[in-house]
Amino acid sequence: MDQRISSLIGSIGPLDEATMERARARQSALAKPPHSLGRLEDLSIQISGICGEDADMTKGRVIVFAADNGVADEAVTSAPKSVTRIQAMNIARGFSGAGVLCRQFGAECEVVDIGIDWDRPLPGLVDSRIRRGTGSIAKGPALTRDEAERAILAGAEAVSRAREQGIGLIGIGEMGIGNTTTSSAVLSALMELPASETAGRGGGIDDEMLANKIAIIDAAIARLHPDPGDAIDVLGKVGGLDLCAMTGAYLSVAANRMPVVIDGFISATAALCAARLAPRAADYMIPSHTSIEKAYALIMRKLGLKPMLTLDMRLGEGSGCPIAFSIVRAAMAVYRDMATFEDLSIDDHYLDGIRDDRRLRGDFA
């Protein structure tokens, strides 16, 4: 493993338990029945443990990693590969679903070209290109290990840059035709599952395309033998540049003690890769919405996380992140600004009998 990635992983510490305990105590003192604000309370405790009780969530940024995938040439997707380039620019211009949602909820959106198959830098995108798209996993490995590691480091750098620019909250998105295939392949390899359990219809494919997609994934894993105990080996052999960069971004947010919002299936697959490399990284993650891709639930169970929203979304691009940002900000606003029983001169002893009822306590209690 590249020494810089090892150092990044080694710098990820646990959440601050003392700060979380103070946050629990404040939640108990706020003028409301115990845990009556549900997961908003859990979020405030988690975020306090990540970056302190005075964490500033005002500035949020969705980082969208865009790359092409060679497997898109294998009849596994209904969209042509050129859509990656066109839509990446539309996201950066604010014309896409994710771009509009970022604007609506006051979030920044940065699109990073980590491997679009084009011969020159694209306007409005950060140029971090490792190569022009990946190889097709139907014919050979997607990437070399060196390329995979360079993409991980580029993703980490995007987060460090955001941190230096005063961003307090990160969302992770992607754009890349064919990347539900590579994500399903990575998940199958990591969890040692057949593609029939991890591959869905992505942006919308018929039964014939789905059968082809499943066959390509199973054959690639059988031929390339990605090591389920080595997430970087898996990412390089059957993944993609976008997945590698997102994995690096998740590692970097944890190293920088920042909260990070997961979008849909592809974003969640990269989150699982990051957690395989650094189990503590999962403590810094906040899932936004439940993707309708069937394997999303497998990943959430493996990470021990629960999405906040059920909106039947499957767009990708990081579109769930700005919506979730508003919930994170709401959680911290209530935590900071709500009055306590003492502030309001209310005797709260009537609650003593239920404060210790674990049925009313949250995920971080």
Side-chain angles (χ1 to χ4, degrees), residues 241-289:
L241 290 160
D242 46 2
L243 285 164
C244 293
M246 288 189 286
T247 298
Y250 283 116
L251 294 173
S252 188
V253 290
N256 281 285
R257 300 199 71 86
M258 301 168 73
V260 60
V261 174
I262 301 169
D263 182 32
F265 170 58
I266 299 159
S267 182
T269 301
L272 180 62
C273 291
R276 285 292 184 94
L277 291 168
R280 284 176 175 167
D283 295 338
Y284 295 78
M285 299 173 184
I286 301 167
S288 56
H289 67 99

Side-chain angles (χ1 to χ4, degrees), residues 201-216:
R201 295 186 184 273
I205 57 176
D206 59 24
D207 290 347
E208 183 178 353
M209 278 188 169
L210 179 59
N212 183 50
K213 180 177 180 177
I214 290 169
I216 285 173

Side-chain angles (χ1 to χ4, degrees), residues 269-322:
T269 301
L272 180 62
C273 291
R276 285 292 184 94
L277 291 168
R280 284 176 175 167
D283 295 338
Y284 295 78
M285 299 173 184
I286 301 167
S288 56
H289 67 99
T290 302
S291 169
I292 65 170
E293 280 286 310
K294 63 181 181 179
Y296 183 85
L298 292 174
I299 301 172
M300 289 298 107
R301 285 197 296 272
K302 202 70 176 175
L303 290 172
L305 300 175
K306 182 180 179 183
M308 294 183 287
L309 303 165
T310 302
L311 299 171
D312 294 339
M313 292 172 64
R314 58 182 178 88
L315 175 62
E317 302 179 3
S319 54
C321 299

Side-chain angles (χ1 to χ4, degrees), residues 65-112:
F65 295 98
D68 276 305
N69 300 276
V71 75
D73 295 328
E74 310 293 341
V76 295
T77 176
S78 58
K81 195 162 64 174
S82 60
V83 171
T84 299
R85 170 177 54 85
I86 295 167
Q87 193 65 353
M89 291 190 292
N90 285 332
I91 296 168
R93 292 167 179 159
F95 296 156
S96 73
V100 169
L101 288 167
C102 283
R103 188 164 60 250
Q104 174 66 27
F105 289 100
E108 296 182 13
C109 184
E110 178 179 273
V111 183
V112 177

Side-chain angles (χ1 to χ4, degrees), residues 28-153:
S28 182
L30 294 177
K32 57 178 175 55
H35 211 257
S36 56
L37 284 175
R39 296 184 64 196
L40 292 180
E41 299 183 25
D42 302 336
L43 269 174
S44 71
I45 295 167
Q46 180 187 11
I47 291 168
S48 295
I50 291 171
C51 48
E53 295 159 283
D54 297 324
D56 185 358
M57 300 289 103
T58 305
K59 293 184 70 175
R61 177 179 294 174
V62 180
I63 306 176
V64 180
F65 295 98
D68 276 305
N69 300 276
V71 75
D73 295 328
E74 310 293 341
V76 295
T77 176
S78 58
K81 195 162 64 174
S82 60
V83 171
T84 299
R85 170 177 54 85
I86 295 167
Q87 193 65 353
M89 291 190 292
N90 285 332
I91 296 168
R93 292 167 179 159
F95 296 156
S96 73
V100 169
L101 288 167
C102 283
R103 188 164 60 250
Q104 174 66 27
F105 289 100
E108 296 182 13
C109 184
E110 178 179 273
V111 183
V112 177
D113 177 358
I114 195 72
I116 296 174
D117 189 4
W118 196 242
D119 61 0
R120 58 189 178 275
L122 295 166
L125 277 61
V126 176
D127 186 5
S128 296
R129 196 178 319 187
I130 305 300
R131 57 180 272 184
R132 288 179 54 176
T134 68
S136 170
I137 63 172
K139 298 178 172 67
L143 300 162
T144 67
R145 187 178 182 93
D146 176 70
E147 289 167 340
E149 291 183 335
R150 286 165 55 205
I152 289 170
L153 290 167

